[in-house]
């Protein structure tokens, strides 16, 4: 049989039957590893809850920071107050130390005051003895020269001992103004009667022109006022 005689009826059959599209199966997203989740009201609520928690946490952190700053400021003020108190305490300690030293020095002065005043008479005797030795001493009078030297050395040693304990002699009173706190006026004379100064000028009113007995101090106090002669005030 001739094949061409068979294909002709088939062609006419296919032309008379309408063609239908081939339905394709939907491609699943899971096949490519993607899982699709529908956006629902529960997802929206979870997001709002998350944001609310973050806002709360930030608010708590901000409040904690403010509280920490407040405490830091309080601590800083306390440190400043403590520094001030330490400065006051240091000043009080220094003042107390200074006063204690002053009281100690005063106590030491009072302890030796009566003893030093008793020795002043010895110093006066030595001073008088030295003044009454004629100067210069004759070379042939070796005994007097030796005695004078011994008295002089004793006088110097006594003065050095006095000085070591704060007892000092008041010197250079001639020509000074009379001070009742430091001097004792034994006698007064008119200006015309008073002897002149070493430079030849006359003494003024109230000036000391003679020292009968030397004055002494112990520390800042008068141990014995100097006994002096004073020119009468006008």
């Amino acid at each position: 049989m001739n094949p061409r005689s068979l294909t002709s009826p088939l062609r006419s059959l296919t032309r008379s039957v309408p063609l239908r599209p081939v339905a394709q199966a939907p491609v699943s997203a899971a096949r490519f590893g993607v899982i699709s989740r529908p956006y629902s009201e529960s997802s929206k609520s979870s997001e709002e809850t998350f944001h609310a928690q973050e806002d709360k946490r930030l608010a708590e952190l901000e409040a904690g920071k403010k509280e920490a700053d407040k405490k830091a400021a309080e601590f800083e003020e306390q440190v400043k107050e403590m520094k001030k108190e330490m400065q006051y305490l240091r000043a009080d300690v220094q003042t107390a130390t200074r006063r204690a030293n002053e009281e100690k020095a005063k106590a030491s002065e009072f302890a030796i005051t009566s003893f030093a005043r008793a020795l002043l008479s010895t110093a006066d005797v030595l001073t008088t003895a030295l003044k009454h030795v004629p100067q210069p001493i004759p070379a042939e009078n070796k005994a007097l020269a030796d005695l004078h030297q011994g008295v002089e050395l004793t006088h110097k040693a006594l003065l050095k001992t006095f000085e070591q304990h704060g007892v000092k002699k008041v010197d250079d009173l001639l020509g000074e103004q009379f001070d009742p706190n430091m001097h004792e006026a034994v006698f007064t004379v008119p200006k015309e009667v008073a002897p002149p100064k070493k430079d030849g000028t006359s003494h003024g009113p109230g000036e000391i022109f003679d020292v009968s007995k030397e004055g002494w101090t112990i520390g800042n106090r008068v141990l014995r006022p100097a006994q002096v002669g004073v020119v009468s005030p006008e």
Side-chain angles (χ1 to χ4, degrees), residues 15-162:
R15 291 175 180 174
S16 60
V17 178
L19 297 177
R20 295 181 180 178
V22 180
Q24 296 181 355
V27 179
S28 175
R31 180 179 179 184
F32 298 98
V34 179
I35 301 176
S36 60
R37 295 180 180 176
Y39 185 79
S40 60
E41 291 295 331
S42 59
S43 298
K44 182 179 180 181
S45 176
S46 298
E47 184 177 355
E48 291 177 352
T49 302
F50 172 77
H51 287 299
Q53 292 176 351
E54 288 296 314
D55 293 341
K56 181 180 179 182
R57 188 170 68 87
L58 290 175
E60 291 176 352
L61 291 175
E62 186 68 22
K65 182 178 180 301
K66 291 182 179 179
E67 185 67 21
D69 293 341
K70 181 180 178 181
K71 290 183 178 180
E74 292 176 356
F75 288 151
E76 187 175 356
E77 289 296 326
Q78 292 178 2
V79 169
K80 290 181 180 179
E81 292 296 328
M82 291 178 65
K83 286 183 177 179
K84 290 182 180 179
E85 292 179 0
M86 290 179 64
Q87 291 176 351
Y88 293 148
L89 290 174
R90 184 179 301 173
D92 291 341
V93 170
Q94 292 176 351
T95 302
T97 303
R98 178 177 54 80
R99 289 180 178 176
N101 292 333
E102 291 176 354
E103 292 296 330
K104 183 179 178 180
K106 289 181 181 179
S108 178
E109 290 178 3
F110 282 114
I112 65 173
T113 294
S114 58
F115 181 70
R117 187 178 289 116
L119 286 178
L120 292 182
S121 59
T122 303
D124 293 337
V125 171
L126 295 175
T127 301
T128 304
L130 291 173
K131 285 182 178 180
H132 284 78
V133 176
Q135 297 294 332
I137 301 175
E140 64 274 8
N141 197 346
K142 189 174 183 303
L144 181 59
D146 292 341
L147 178 61
H148 180 272
Q149 184 179 8
V151 173
E152 187 177 20
L153 291 175
T154 303
H155 185 254
K156 288 181 179 179
L158 182 60
L159 294 182
K160 185 176 181 180
T161 302
F162 280 159

Side-chain angles (χ1 to χ4, degrees), residues 11 47 56 84 88-89 111-113 134 157 184 186 209-210 213 221 223-224 231 234:
R11 291 177 179 174
E47 184 177 355
K56 181 180 179 182
K84 290 182 180 179
Y88 293 148
L89 290 174
I112 65 173
T113 294
E184 179 184 351
V186 179
F209 70 91
D210 181 75
K213 188 175 290 187
R221 299 182 298 108
L223 182 61
R224 187 185 73 181
V231 177
E234 295 181 350

